[in-house]
Structures are given as structure tokens and as C-alpha cells.
Amino acid sequence: MARAVVLLSGGLDSYTAAAIAKADGFALYALTIAYGQRHARELDAARAVARALAVERHIEIGVDLRAIGGSLLTSDARVPRDRDVATATDIPPTYVPARNTVFLALALGWAEVLDARDIFIGANALDYSGYPDCRPAFIRAFESLAAVATKAGVEGARFRVHAPLLEMRKADIIRRGLALHLDYGLTHSCYDPSPSGAPCGRCDSCQLRAKGFAEAGARDPVLSAREA
């Protein structure tokens, strides 16, 4: 069975992408990055998701991006709420500089050690917050980088970065996950949760998640628990 490194954030998208990798026959090696994010609740969610997927191994690496700054997600500043995500064209202040580049670099290093050639990431270029490192051009560029930045690459190995959700609407992602019998109650998406970990329901991520479940005609177990 071929091995794949899957980036697990604890969110809905990374869970679905990893489940697709498993359905495609890969043995999963899950990598979670503790980058100093304010919504650390997602780390617990990543552990729960890893258990649900029965991954071969799950490792967590700490890379404190708070030292660099540049993002509301690595600070204590107020996260915007109630933005019109349907019409917004700017890159929001929740963007974390070069986050997916850092994450994929770590995944690439582990993949080389594991003799794996496949990496899965839950990036999405349609229903997302406008981040530049969630676009097809970024994924293609990183694959080119992997070919020249690793011993395996210069010796002829080809690393593939799979982003199976890249051009899917959130509703379609949710439908795919439900078809795979995923328990989205394990996931966490909110940028600004309460001290108890409950989602705010108003940040960009909560809005996109709610819109996706509504369009999919499905109940979000996380928001249902919040409203109960």
C-alpha cells in the first residue's frame, strides 16, 4: 500500500481530503502543525480526526509563527465578524503569511523520510477566504519545487501534491464527505471560538461552513450542538 502524508488541521476540508486519500487506497501518515494559532481547539479536533481515520501514524510539529506575526490568527487582535464573504475580494487579515508553504515543506520532508511520494492538502480555491496559497498555481509551483529541493527529487522521484478539494464548492465537499460517512462533529473551523471551544458562527470560516451545509441540505453537527 502506497504511503501518503496528509496535512490534518482538524478542519472540515483537511478531514475530507485525508478521507479521500484513504478511499483511494493510501496508508495515511498524518501531520498536524501547532503554529501558535489562536484557535488551538483545532489541535484536539485533528487528534480526533486522526483516530477516526485510523491513520498509521500522527505527528504534531510546533512551529511558532507568532514570532513572525502578520496575521490575526497568530495574535490576540479582534477577528472580523459578519463580513460579506460572498462579495469580498481582498485578502483578509486572517491570512497567515506563507502558511501552506511552511506546512507543505514539513510534509515534504517527512514524505521523503517515509519514502512516500504523495502529499494531501485540503486547500480550496472556490469557497475560501481568498488566501493566495490555496490556488492551483501554488500547488503546481510547490510540486516543481519538490523536484529540485529534495534528494529523492534530483534522483528522479516525482512528488505529487494532491489537493482533491481545490475546485470544489463547500457544499460539494460536504456531500463527498458525507458519502464517505465522515463525522463532521469531530471537526473545528471557527477562527474565533469561545473559551469553551464553541464556534462564534460569524467569522469568515463559520459563515462559509454554514453556507456549505445549507446548500448541501445537511445538518452541521457542530453548529447544532452550539445551538442546543
Side-chain angles (χ1 to χ4, degrees):
M1 183 180 292
R3 297 175 172 181
V5 174
V6 296
L7 285 166
L8 277 188
S9 70
L12 182 154
D13 290 346
S14 71
Y15 184 18
T16 309
I20 290 172
K22 184 172 184 177
D24 286 346
F26 287 98
L28 305 187
Y29 289 76
L31 173 60
T32 298
I33 314 298
Y35 63 92
Q37 60 269 55
R38 63 189 295 149
H39 47 302
R41 164 71 181 82
E42 71 177 19
L43 298 176
D44 292 331
R47 296 169 192 136
V49 165
R51 289 192 295 270
L53 290 170
V55 301
E56 301 294 324
R57 187 180 176 197
H58 181 207
I59 65 172
E60 298 178 22
I61 296 178
V63 181
D64 190 0
L65 297 183
R66 282 181 174 261
I68 294 174
S71 172
L72 293 185
L73 296 191
T74 55
S75 77
D76 297 321
R78 186 177 180 83
V79 170
R81 294 186 174 189
D82 304 317
R83 288 197 333 137
D84 186 352
V85 294
T87 61
T89 58
D90 61 319
I91 297 174
T94 50
Y95 162 68
V96 180
R99 178 174 60 180
N100 281 349
T101 305
V102 173
F103 287 8
L104 281 175
L106 293 170
L108 176 63
W110 195 26
E112 188 170 26
V113 170
L114 291 170
D115 198 27
R117 298 294 176 257
D118 298 273
I119 299 169
F120 281 76
I121 183 171
N124 177 260
L126 295 182
D127 287 338
Y128 75 126
S129 295
Y131 302 148
D133 53 1
C134 289
R135 298 173 300 148
F138 168 73
I139 300 298
R140 292 193 300 268
F142 195 90
E143 284 186 329
S144 297
L145 171 69
V148 299
T150 59
K151 177 178 180 290
V154 298
E155 291 178 348
R158 180 191 172 203
F159 288 94
R160 288 161 294 191
V161 179
H162 302 261
L165 316 182
L166 198 62
E167 298 184 18
M168 294 174 65
R169 291 291 180 188
K170 189 70 75 176
D172 293 325
I173 294 169
I174 291 167
R175 290 188 188 102
R176 182 67 187 278
L178 293 176
L180 291 170
H181 308 291
L182 302 188
D183 177 6
Y184 284 129
L186 300 176
T187 64
H188 176 84
S189 302
C190 182
Y191 290 154
D192 194 24
S194 71
S196 69
C200 71
R202 296 168 58 192
C203 68
D204 286 9
S205 186
C206 280
Q207 288 190 64
L208 290 168
R209 180 175 175 129
K211 177 175 177 285
F213 272 97
E215 292 179 353
R219 180 185 65 87
D220 182 351
V222 171
L223 290 182
S224 296
R226 173 178 176 265
E227 293 165 358

